[in-house]
Amino acid sequence: MSDADPVDSWKNDLLNRKSVADYLSNHLRKRYANKPSENGFVLAINAEWGYGKTFLLNAWHEDLKYQGHPAVYFDAWKNDFTPEPLVAFISKIDEELEALFKNERAIKKKLSEAIGALSRFTTPALRLAGAIAMKRLLNISLEELESIAKGREPKEILSDEALQDDRDAFVNGLPDSFAEALKAHKEKEHSISAFRKKLTKLIEELDKSRKFQLPVFFFVDELDRCRPNYAIELLEGIKHLFGVPGIYFVVGLNSNQLAYSTQAIYGPQFDGSRYLKRFFDQEYLLPEPDPREYVRALFQNAAISEKSYVHGLHRNVYPGIDVEAIFIMFAKAFDAGLRDQIRTMQLIEAAIAGIVVNEIHCWFLFALAFIYEKNSQMFERLVSKHEGAVQVLVRLIEPRVFSIIDPDFNTGKSRTVDFIQVLSLYLANYRKTKGQLGGQGEIGFEFPSSLLNELRSNEMITSNEDAQSLYSIGHYPDLIRHAGGFIRTQ
């Protein structure tokens, strides 16, 4: 059992992922109770980027350790630089479990024996242009390869009407050291068999322990961000090495992304989704976060100094309105998915770093950021006024017209303010000086024209009518352009 407080693991759980972990923990424990003799189990946690998958796996891993389950977390992407994914993974297992079992002599001994059984687990000197490439080009059995090594004609073995030229060339060009590679391959198989037997002994020792409970959990994260061959070799190793009772894997990935990347290895017609399913016994689709919680997490994690946000809405009509609510309005209007929202927040974060004054006109800054993220060319046409603002905005937002209900001071009745109205007002006035904006009595007090009062009183700090102050919203488009330089290459 870990000494860490489980509360600490979840203290930054802004997307309510603990409820997911609790549900899945209960599900997997019941599965093990009902099927203790099944040869391992692999659960895929499938989620888009930005769903809180990594936070979930990290915190869940710590939580399970506190509850008495031996658990290991492995970030595959951080180890992507190594040529041997399984060596890196086994090293992580050894490191974490040895620390966990430090006071348990019998258990620690079984762990050492299991790791020691893999001492001869090395890649054959000859990789045949890579094991994965061999499968794609040859698709032949080990017995056939052994026959080739003994000198039989390749055509005799691969007599197939559909035999391709690249297979002919590949087989005929096999080097003399192939027999040595086959020997190394058999030694590797022997190591795998010995490892699984020793791993089973470790599980049996843990089953007798009062301190630990089964199953053992191995978490593998960020698989879809790895090199395709690295990810596939790791998945194949998981299936072949760890298929023993009492070992449960939880693999975090974006299955669509990983399936797409496998085509770089197997070709554009390869069905990556179907291929990946063979590695997983079950798949769990991580639910989309609550929009408000997600945006709150974006703002909390962003490197933004304390600012006051000007939004101009009446709090008696919109009592809960704040900067997060304005961001959500834009996300809905521009039909921005979670990943789009992350990238837009990166733009906003970088742009705000260049704003010296305390007041931020969030309607205008957010609009520019969402427009730039959605279509940077449209952004340039908009701010350069090569095309009318309304025409551009309608093309970006329609048919998702978003309206705000606001009181009319003259009639006392409610009126509808179109989202585009607010943006058009800013676009028509963001380059104006104080004098060009008009005097105090010339600007209305109703939203959205009331925003011009905020511009006049707070933003324009220079009395020079001929110069555009860098502190004004007239600087926002340039700030967004500069911010775009950080993210457009990602």
Side-chain angles (χ1 to χ4, degrees):
M1 181 180 293
S2 170
D3 296 328
D5 188 340
V7 175
D8 291 339
S9 302
W10 300 105
K11 65 181 178 181
N12 295 317
D13 185 18
L14 301 176
L15 303 180
N16 193 30
R17 291 313 186 196
K18 186 177 187 304
S19 63
V20 174
D22 290 344
Y23 169 77
L24 292 175
S25 292
N26 182 59
H27 168 73
L28 295 176
R29 285 195 194 98
K30 286 186 175 179
R31 182 182 183 92
Y32 182 69
N34 293 327
K35 295 184 174 183
S37 60
E38 74 174 337
N39 288 326
F41 182 79
V42 183
L43 172 68
I45 303 291
N46 188 6
E48 296 287 333
W49 187 52
Y51 274 46
K53 170 171 48 66
T54 292
F55 173 84
L56 165 67
L57 297 188
N58 256 312
W60 186 14
H61 147 256
E62 292 294 340
D63 208 358
L64 286 171
K65 285 202 296 186
Y66 181 82
Q67 296 169 31
H69 289 276
V72 174
Y73 175 85
F74 179 73
D75 187 325
W77 188 55
K78 284 184 178 178
N79 292 276
D80 189 17
F81 65 91
T82 62
E84 291 287 352
L86 282 171
V87 172
F89 178 58
I90 291 164
S91 175
K92 185 65 174 177
I93 291 174
D94 189 27
E95 175 190 333
E96 285 207 28
L97 292 187
E98 186 176 5
L100 198 61
F101 302 152
K102 61 183 178 181
N103 297 321
E104 307 295 321
R105 183 176 298 177
I107 296 175
K108 189 176 179 180
K109 182 174 182 291
K110 296 298 181 185
L111 173 65
S112 297
E113 289 175 352
I115 299 299
L118 286 174
S119 59
R120 299 172 72 183
F121 186 79
T122 56
T123 301
L126 175 63
R127 295 182 63 87
L128 298 176
I132 294 171
M134 179 184 71
K135 291 177 185 177
R136 176 164 64 89
L137 293 173
L138 300 178
N139 194 27
I140 58 180
S141 68
L142 181 61
E143 289 75 18
E144 290 174 306
L145 291 175
E146 287 181 306
S147 297
I148 295 171
K150 292 174 181 176
R152 291 179 60 189
E153 287 294 327
K155 294 274 189 179
E156 202 175 315
I157 301 162
L158 301 172
S159 53
D160 185 339
E161 294 180 359
L163 193 65
Q164 298 177 4
D165 292 341
D166 59 351
R167 291 178 62 170
D168 278 344
F170 192 82
V171 171
N172 288 325
L174 286 175
D176 295 336
S177 58
F178 187 72
E180 183 181 342
L182 283 175
K183 179 182 177 183
H185 177 80
K186 288 184 176 181
E187 289 178 351
K188 194 170 184 177
E189 282 189 328
H190 177 76
S191 293
I192 291 172
S193 177
F195 173 72
R196 293 176 69 170
K197 289 177 182 177
K198 297 294 185 181
L199 195 60
T200 300
K201 295 292 184 183
L202 171 63
I203 297 300
E204 290 171 355
E205 197 66 40
L206 284 168
D207 197 27
K208 295 186 289 185
S209 170
R210 293 184 178 181
K211 184 175 181 179
F212 298 102
Q213 60 174 311
L214 296 174
V216 175
F217 287 93
F218 294 145
F219 291 86
V220 178
D221 194 17
E222 302 280 24
L223 204 60
D224 51 287
R225 300 182 70 180
C226 298
R227 289 175 284 117
N229 60 328
Y230 184 96
I232 291 170
E233 282 187 41
L234 184 56
L235 285 175
E236 288 182 337
I238 286 171
K239 268 295 188 186
H240 295 132
L241 275 173
F242 296 91
V244 300
I247 300 290
Y248 275 28
F249 274 85
V250 179
V251 180
L253 76 165
N254 179 336
S255 63
N256 289 334
Q257 181 62 38
L258 186 55
Y260 176 76
S261 65
T262 59
Q263 293 178 350
I265 300 173
Y266 296 109
Q269 304 305 316
F270 183 71
D271 188 347
S273 296
R274 185 174 180 180
Y275 173 72
L276 289 174
K277 288 183 184 298
R278 66 192 284 265
F279 295 112
F280 308 126
D281 299 296
Q282 200 170 34
E283 184 177 337
Y284 180 81
L285 189 62
L286 193 61
E288 186 171 324
D290 176 85
R292 185 64 185 245
E293 291 177 350
Y294 187 76
V295 172
R296 185 180 299 117
L298 287 181
F299 274 92
Q300 183 163 323
N301 293 324
I304 296 176
S305 57
E306 193 67 30
K307 296 287 185 180
S308 295
Y309 293 93
V310 177
H311 56 70
L313 292 174
H314 298 283
R315 296 194 181 276
N316 61 332
V317 181
Y318 294 94
I321 199 69
D322 54 23
V323 64
E324 295 165 7
I326 300 295
F327 188 94
I328 291 171
M329 287 183 186
F330 275 98
K332 290 179 179 177
F334 285 92
D335 195 28
L338 299 186
R339 185 162 188 166
D340 301 323
Q341 292 177 44
I342 291 176
R343 290 169 63 86
T344 303
M345 178 56 75
Q346 290 172 343
L347 283 168
I348 292 169
E349 178 184 47
I352 287 179
I355 299 175
V356 180
V357 294
N358 188 50
E359 292 80 17
I360 305 292
H361 280 254
C362 54
W363 285 106
F364 192 45
L365 186 66
F366 291 2
L368 292 173
F370 273 97
I371 291 166
Y372 189 94
E373 169 55 28
K374 193 172 186 73
N375 190 321
S376 59
Q377 292 181 335
M378 284 285 194
F379 170 89
E380 294 299 340
R381 293 168 70 177
L382 192 67
V383 298
S384 63
K385 297 193 174 181
H386 287 166
E387 191 171 352
V390 173
Q391 289 86 344
V392 174
L393 291 171
V394 163
R395 259 183 284 168
L396 289 170
I397 297 176
E398 282 282 351
R400 296 167 297 278
V401 176
F402 193 86
S403 298
I404 301 162
I405 307 299
D406 200 60
D408 187 319
F409 284 126
N410 296 320
T411 64
K413 297 179 181 179
S414 295
R415 61 193 176 86
T416 298
V417 180
D418 286 339
F419 197 63
I420 291 177
Q421 261 185 276
V422 184
L423 306 187
S424 296
L425 178 136
Y426 273 113
L427 288 165
N429 293 281
Y430 78 95
R431 287 179 172 174
K432 291 181 179 179
T433 61
K434 279 185 179 181
Q436 291 170 334
L437 280 172
Q440 290 284 358
E442 300 175 56
I443 301 174
F445 288 95
E446 291 180 343
F447 180 81
S449 61
S450 59
L451 292 168
L452 297 180
N453 276 318
E454 296 286 349
L455 283 177
R456 195 181 190 288
S457 60
N458 297 329
E459 286 292 321
M460 302 297 185
I461 64 169
T462 180
S463 59
N464 184 354
E465 296 293 319
D466 298 323
Q468 181 69 51
S469 168
L470 291 181
Y471 296 93
S472 75
I473 66 168
H475 196 45
Y476 283 12
D478 282 338
L479 291 173
I480 292 295
R481 283 193 191 97
H482 288 308
F486 289 115
I487 71 164
R488 299 313 290 182
T489 57
Q490 291 183 3

